[in-house]
Amino acid sequence: MAPYWKSPRTALDDADPARQPLQRRATLVRHLDAMRQWNGDAEDLLTHHRAQHRWISHDCLQALLAMRPPTLVEVGIDTLHDLFSDPALHDDEDARDSALVELELWEQDWTAASEAVNAQILASERNAARSLLDRVESRPLTDEQAHAVICFDNRVQVVAAAGSGKTSTLVAKAAYAIHRGYAEPHQIVMLAFNKEAAKELQQRADRAFARAGMAGAAVEARTFHALGLAIIANATGRRPFVPDWAVDAALGFHKLADLVDRLKDRSHAFRTQWDMFRLVFGRDLPLLGGAMDADGWDKEGTGYVRTLQGERVRSVEDCVLADWLFYNGVRYAYDRAHAFDAGAEAFRQQPARFHYPDADLCHAHGGQQDALRQHAGRRTIQTSSHGLRMGWAFEDLDDALSAGGVEVDPNPDRDIPDDGQKPMPDTELIGLMRTFISHAKSNCLSLGDMAERLRAMPDDVFKERHRRFLEIAGPVLQAWDDALDEERAIDFEDMLNQAAEHLEQGRYVSPYRLVMADEFQDASRARARLCRALVQAPGRFLFAVGDDWQSINRFAGADVSVMTRFRQWFGQGQVLRLEQTFRCPQALCDVSSHFISANPSQIAKQVRSSTPSHGPVLQAFQVASREQITDAVGQYLQRLHEACLAGAIPAGRDGRLQVFVLGRYNADRAALPSNWKARFGATMEVGFLTAHRSKGMEADYVILPGMLDGAFPNTRADDPVLSLAMPSGDTYPLGEERRLFYVALTRARRSVAMFTVVGKRSSFLDELEREGAVQVTTIDGKPVREERCPACGTGVIVKKSGKYGEFHSCTNYPRCEHKPRTR
C-alpha cells in the first residue's frame, strides 16, 4: 500500500471510492492535530524566551525546526493546501478557516519570527540590564557594545574598529552571561594570543567584575596554548614537554639554524640544494606581464638586474638563468640585444642571448619554445618564460650543454665576485623556513598536500622556485619533528592540533559553555580549529572579537581568512560590528580607513568618532639624510613641548602628553633623542615601540621615523612560497604591511607625524600624498617641491656639481644612474 502522505488520495481510497471522504478526513485530522501541536510548541518557545529575556539561539531554533513532524514536511505544502481548503472535509466554514490559520502559521518564516523576538529582547534587555551594562566598565557601554553583549547566539563574531572598546565588550559579555544565567563562572574561558595579553585580559575582567559587584565570580583568561596543553594532559594523563626553543622565537630560530647546519654536514646533496635556492632562486619572478623589481637603472633610465657574476641583465628571468649557469660552473657570455623597428621608429628588445664557448652553443631566451636546431654552423637552443617558470628550461639547457660536452657542476663554495649581486642570506632563508613550518603544521598539511597545492597553481607562478623550496623544506621539517621526538616534546602547533583532535574524537569533553576569543584576527587555523572543537556540542557559545584590518601576525601563523570567512569556518553565526571609536579623531579615522580599504577582501567598516581634533591629524616631514631624522624628531617634540607650555594644546590624560615613536624595526629606536627626558620630561612622556608591539596601545601623538622606501613597507614581507602552506585568504600586494601601517596610524589620539628622506620616500607616504591626505614639508613647514625620477620612481632629480660643471641626476645614485638629457 502506498504511504498515505504520498498523495491526498491513498491506494485504499482508489480501491473503494465510497471510503474516500472518510480516509481524507482522517488524514486531515491527523495532519491538523500534528500541526497544532508543533505550532503551539513553537509559539510557546518564542513566548517563553520573550518573557525570560533569553536569546533564541541558532541551536535552539534548529532544534525546534528538527521537531517538525516528518510526515507533514514530506507531504508538501501544495498537498496540505488542497487538503486543508477542501470544504467537504470540514464541519463548517469556521473549522476550515481555523485549519487554514494553522497552515498559515506553519508556513511562516520561523527564522524571521525568532529574529523579531530577539530584536524585542535586545530592546528590553538594554533597559533591564542597564545597571550592569553601565557600570561593568569605566564608561557605559554604547548601543553597539550592548548589542554584542546581549546577543547570545551560538556563534558571534564582533568586528571591532581600532579603539572601539572590544576588550570592554568582551569582559562585559562574561559578566552578562553569569548575570543572566547563560553560564557559571567556571564554564567561561577567555582566550588570548599570548601570556602578556592573557594577563592584561585577566586584570581587566577582575576589575570589571569588582565594579559590577561580582568580585567572587572569577572567570579565567588563558592563552590558546596553555589551554591546549591542559587538554592534552587531561586526555592522556601526561603533561607534554614543550622545550624553550619551541616557544621562544629567537631560540627557535637558532635551533632551526643548527638543524640546517647538521643537514648540510650530513648531506652534500642537501647543501647543494639549499645553496642553489639561496643563490639562484632567492628572488621570485614577476607574474607574466608584471612589473620588474629592478636592482638599478642605467643612464638612459632602463632598469636592470645584477647577477651573481656582476653583469647587468635585462630581466629577473635572465638573471635566474645567468645565476644558474654561474652556480653550475658554466662559462657564458651575455648579450642584451636590441633591434630597430622601422615601423615603430624605436628600438625593441630581442630575446636575450647567452653564448657558451665551451659547448659551441647559442641560447636565446624569450618567445615560444623551439626545438634544438642547427643554425649557421652553431647549435642553438631557445627557452621561454613559461618553460622557465615550469622548470623545463633548466632541463633543456642541461641537456644541450651536455650534448656539447659541458657537464654542470653545482658548487656551494664557488666564490662570488665583489661586484656580484649578494644572494639571499642564510638567516633570511632560515627565518622563511621557520615561518613555513609554523604554517604547514598549523594547517595540518603534509608535504604531499603542499605538492598537490603546487600542481594546482596557475602556470604564471614561478613553480620551479616553489618546487625547489619544497625540496629543501621536506628534510628541514623532518629534522624539526625529529628534534622534538628526541626530547619527547611537542611545539606550539602540536599543542593546538592535538588538543583539538582530543576534543573532536571525544577523548576530552569541553567543560565550557562560553568560549571567548580575543584578537581573533590573529588566530591561526589551528586556533580556529580548537575554538570550533571546544563548542562543538549543542548549546555552546563562541564569542570571537577582533579586527581584520589589524591582522599583523602572519609570521606567527595568523590567517586573516579565519576572520574574514567566519561563517565558513563555524557553519553559521552572527557578525556584529563596533564602529564607534573612542581614540582617533574623525579625520584620522577617514584617512586610515580609506588607506586600509584598498584591499577589497577585508570586512567593510564605517568608523565613527566624536573625539575632538587638535591640529592636523597627519603631518609628513622630509630631511636631506637619514642622519638628520633624530634631530628633526627632536625639533618636532620641542614644538609639542612649547605648545603645551603655552596652553595651545591641552595636556594628556595624566597631565602630560604621551608620545610613541613607532618603528618598523628595533633599529628605528635611534630616532628617539636620547636627552628627551631632560628637555621635555615636564610636559610629555616619550617611548619607543615597534609597530607590532604597539598593538592594543595608544598615545596622544605618534611619530613614525622610518617612512623610507623598502623599510616601511617592507617589500619582502610575504614570500610567495608561503602560499604552499597557507590558504589564499589575502593575496593583496603588501596586504600585511598595509595592515601594520594602519595599526601604527590608529595608535594616535590626536596626530601622527611621519619622517622621510629626500629620494627615499615610502610608497605608503606617496600614496597618502597622492590621495591628498597629507603634504610633505620640510621640518620648518615649507612645502617640498621635487621632480620624481622617471626611471626608478622613488628618487628625485637634484642639481649637482662636477668637474664639468653642474648637472642633474637621481638621488638614488649609484643604484640609479639616470641623468635627464635636457632641463
Side-chain angles (χ1 to χ4, degrees):
M1 182 182 295
Y4 74 89
W5 45 262
K6 285 294 187 183
S7 165
R9 298 174 64 85
T10 68
L12 183 61
D13 293 336
D14 293 333
D16 185 357
R19 298 186 61 186
Q20 288 178 13
L22 294 176
Q23 291 290 346
R24 283 173 58 77
R25 185 178 178 88
T27 300
L28 170 65
V29 170
R30 287 199 303 272
H31 286 344
L32 188 55
D33 286 347
M35 189 176 288
R36 280 188 174 129
Q37 179 65 47
W38 189 87
N39 284 346
D41 291 343
E43 289 192 306
D44 286 348
L45 179 118
L46 268 59
T47 301
H48 174 77
H49 276 260
R50 187 187 294 111
Q52 296 296 317
H53 305 282
R54 294 183 68 82
W55 198 269
I56 303 174
S57 69
H58 177 270
D59 282 0
C60 185
L61 179 62
Q62 293 306 307
L64 173 67
L65 296 177
M67 291 171 59
R68 280 191 161 198
T71 53
L72 288 177
V73 176
E74 291 162 349
V75 165
I77 197 64
D78 290 339
T79 300
L80 288 172
H81 265 290
D82 290 342
L83 192 63
F84 279 41
S85 60
D86 188 345
L89 302 181
H90 300 279
D91 294 333
D92 52 39
E93 190 169 333
D94 288 343
R96 184 172 74 92
D97 290 344
S98 176
L100 290 174
V101 167
E102 291 295 337
L103 183 59
E104 183 179 357
L105 190 60
W106 166 272
E107 278 189 279
Q108 79 163 317
D109 185 343
W110 288 95
T111 300
S114 67
E115 289 173 352
V117 172
N118 284 338
Q120 295 172 2
I121 292 171
L122 178 64
S124 63
E125 276 294 87
R126 188 68 179 93
N127 291 320
R130 183 174 297 279
S131 61
L132 173 69
L133 301 180
D134 284 357
R135 73 175 189 272
V136 69
E137 274 293 291
S138 56
R139 62 161 65 96
L141 298 188
T142 66
D143 287 340
E144 289 177 330
Q145 292 171 324
H147 185 180
V149 168
I150 295 167
C151 173
F152 242 93
D153 212 338
N154 298 102
R155 309 288 181 265
V156 176
Q157 179 188 40
V158 178
V159 183
S164 62
K166 67 175 181 58
T167 306
S168 295
T169 305
L170 193 122
V171 298
K173 181 84 170 184
Y176 179 80
I178 297 168
H179 175 71
R180 277 294 185 232
Y182 284 101
E184 296 295 326
H186 67 275
Q187 295 175 315
I188 301 173
V189 65
M190 296 185 294
L191 297 174
F193 188 72
N194 54 38
K195 289 182 180 179
E196 184 178 313
K199 181 180 179 181
E200 181 183 350
L201 188 56
Q202 186 71 66
Q203 292 171 345
R204 286 285 299 272
D206 291 344
R207 290 197 298 267
F209 277 44
R211 275 193 296 266
M214 303 168 60
V219 172
E220 187 176 17
R222 312 181 76 172
T223 65
F224 282 90
H225 293 99
L227 178 60
L229 206 61
I231 290 173
I232 296 170
N234 189 288
T236 64
R238 185 181 73 86
R239 183 179 178 84
F241 172 59
V242 183
D244 290 341
W245 54 266
V247 177
D248 183 90
L251 293 177
F253 175 87
H254 291 303
K255 180 67 173 182
L256 191 61
D258 181 58
L259 294 174
V260 169
D261 284 342
R262 292 185 198 177
L263 287 170
K264 289 181 181 179
D265 291 341
R266 289 201 303 264
S267 170
H268 179 76
F270 174 82
R271 185 183 176 202
T272 300
Q273 292 165 344
W274 178 271
D275 284 326
M276 172 75 83
F277 187 87
R278 284 199 312 110
L279 274 68
V280 180
F281 296 95
R283 188 200 303 251
D284 193 37
L285 293 179
L287 297 178
L288 287 173
M292 178 183 76
D293 184 14
D295 290 334
W297 294 264
D298 61 21
K299 293 180 180 179
E300 286 70 38
T302 303
Y304 64 81
V305 182
R306 189 179 296 279
T307 70
L308 293 173
Q309 193 162 278
E311 304 103 334
R312 294 180 177 185
V313 297
R314 65 172 190 171
S315 69
V316 182
E317 290 187 13
D318 293 354
C319 181
V320 170
L321 286 167
D323 290 346
W324 183 87
L325 294 165
F326 173 82
Y327 188 76
N328 284 294
V330 178
R331 285 203 310 136
Y332 68 90
Y334 177 79
D335 177 21
R336 186 179 182 178
H338 293 74
F340 188 75
D341 185 334
E345 295 186 352
F347 282 92
R348 58 183 174 84
Q349 230 166 33
Q350 294 292 301
R353 295 190 180 277
F354 295 85
H355 303 277
Y356 309 115
D358 297 336
D360 193 28
L361 178 67
C362 180
H363 171 199
H365 177 68
Q368 299 299 313
Q369 184 79 22
D370 292 333
L372 192 65
R373 64 188 186 275
Q374 291 289 127
H375 181 70
R378 176 176 289 183
R379 293 183 315 113
T380 305
I381 182 176
Q382 185 171 9
T383 55
S384 69
S385 295
H386 177 64
L388 186 67
R389 283 165 169 73
M390 300 300 291
W392 307 329
F394 303 105
E395 298 172 7
D396 293 345
L397 185 53
D398 192 349
D399 291 343
L401 290 168
S402 180
V406 175
E407 298 297 329
V408 299
D409 176 29
N411 182 0
D413 296 321
R414 188 165 281 113
D415 290 334
I416 298 174
D418 291 339
D419 61 345
Q421 181 68 26
K422 298 298 181 279
M424 174 187 280
D426 257 308
T427 53
E428 185 176 329
L429 183 51
I430 291 168
L432 175 61
M433 193 65 69
R434 179 67 191 99
T435 303
F436 180 82
I437 290 172
S438 176
H439 286 310
K441 297 188 74 172
S442 177
N443 296 321
C444 301
L445 294 172
S446 67
L447 288 172
D449 295 330
M450 291 183 282
E452 184 59 37
R453 283 185 166 205
L454 175 56
R455 284 189 287 272
M457 286 182 175
D459 287 348
D460 59 351
V461 170
F462 194 2
K463 284 190 171 184
E464 179 67 2
R465 181 174 187 265
H466 288 63
R467 185 190 69 78
R468 288 180 183 264
F469 183 82
L470 275 185
E471 194 173 52
I472 57 175
V476 176
L477 184 55
Q478 186 61 56
W480 179 269
D481 282 340
D482 288 346
L484 289 170
D485 290 342
E486 286 176 10
E487 300 187 34
R488 299 186 64 194
I490 62 174
D491 61 17
F492 265 21
E493 289 74 30
D494 293 330
M495 262 188 266
L496 300 175
N497 284 318
Q498 289 183 21
E501 185 176 350
H502 286 309
L503 286 160
E504 291 162 353
Q505 299 300 320
R507 294 188 290 268
Y508 177 80
V509 177
S510 170
Y512 303 113
R513 285 185 55 80
L514 174 59
V515 175
M516 313 181 78
D518 193 16
E519 303 287 4
F520 200 64
Q521 76 281 345
D522 289 327
S524 63
R525 290 201 150 202
R527 286 182 174 89
R529 180 187 176 191
L530 179 58
C531 285
R532 187 171 58 193
L534 283 166
V535 295
Q536 64 187 351
R540 307 297 175 94
F541 303 93
L542 172 65
F543 187 72
V545 184
D547 181 9
D548 60 308
W549 289 3
Q550 299 183 70
S551 179
I552 59 172
N553 285 303
R554 186 180 187 188
F555 66 91
D559 178 3
V560 69
S561 69
V562 170
M563 183 86 182
T564 58
R565 300 174 184 174
F566 182 80
R567 289 193 178 102
Q568 292 173 248
W569 260 95
F570 297 98
Q572 52 85 21
Q574 299 259 7
V575 178
L576 308 178
R577 286 172 171 77
L578 302 182
E579 297 178 319
Q580 179 181 346
T581 180
F582 302 100
R583 183 183 300 157
C584 309
Q586 187 64 53
L588 185 53
C589 292
D590 293 343
V591 170
S592 57
S593 296
H594 181 74
F595 175 84
I596 196 66
S597 296
N599 184 345
S601 66
Q602 298 171 145
I603 301 172
K605 290 181 282 294
Q606 297 293 327
V607 185
R608 311 181 310 277
S609 175
S610 57
T611 301
S613 295
H614 297 280
V617 296
L618 272 186
Q619 293 177 281
F621 303 107
Q622 183 168 289
V623 296
S625 67
R626 291 174 187 251
E627 291 72 25
Q628 295 180 14
I629 289 179
T630 305
D631 181 62
V633 169
Q635 292 183 54
Y636 175 77
L637 291 173
Q638 179 69 34
R639 290 178 190 170
L640 289 181
H641 172 70
E642 292 171 355
C644 192
L645 289 176
I649 57 175
R653 293 175 178 175
D654 62 352
R656 294 193 301 171
L657 296 177
Q658 188 174 15
V659 182
F660 283 165
V661 178
L662 301 184
R664 176 62 181 84
Y665 306 100
N666 280 313
D668 291 327
R669 184 186 296 272
L672 175 60
S674 58
N675 62 345
W676 72 264
K677 190 169 290 187
R679 295 172 61 188
F680 318 121
T683 60
M684 66 181 73
E685 178 72 26
V686 186
F688 174 83
L689 289 167
T690 64
H692 277 99
R693 294 288 294 174
S694 72
K695 179 110 175 16
M697 305 179 73
E698 60 183 55
D700 296 307
Y701 294 88
V702 166
I703 295 171
L704 304 179
M707 297 302 296
L708 307 174
D709 177 43
F712 206 168
N714 174 6
T715 54
R716 293 183 61 89
D718 297 334
D719 195 294
V721 297
L722 292 177
S723 62
L724 291 166
M726 290 189 66
S728 56
D730 180 19
T731 58
Y732 194 79
L734 298 174
E736 178 109 345
E737 288 291 299
R738 294 184 76 88
R739 291 191 290 272
L740 184 61
F741 185 54
Y742 173 80
V743 166
L745 292 178
T746 55
R747 299 311 93 195
R749 291 192 286 262
R750 298 184 185 178
S751 180
V752 179
M754 298 172 283
F755 290 81
T756 191
V757 173
V758 174
K760 307 291 184 183
R761 194 180 296 178
S762 159
S763 61
F764 286 172
L765 181 52
D766 273 344
E767 183 176 337
L768 290 175
E769 188 172 43
R770 283 196 307 271
E771 296 288 343
V774 70
Q775 181 180 28
V776 181
T777 71
T778 65
I779 192 64
D780 296 327
K782 298 177 182 177
V784 172
R785 295 182 177 88
E786 57 188 21
E787 179 187 351
R788 189 62 57 90
C789 175
C792 66
T794 57
V796 296
I797 302 300
V798 295
K799 183 186 293 186
K800 295 183 179 180
S801 297
K803 64 179 181 179
Y804 299 110
E806 291 186 342
F807 64 96
H808 292 82
S809 68
C810 178
T811 53
N812 277 342
Y813 180 86
R815 184 182 176 211
C816 179
E817 300 170 354
H818 177 61
K819 295 180 181 179
R821 293 184 181 275
T822 58
R823 297 295 296 171

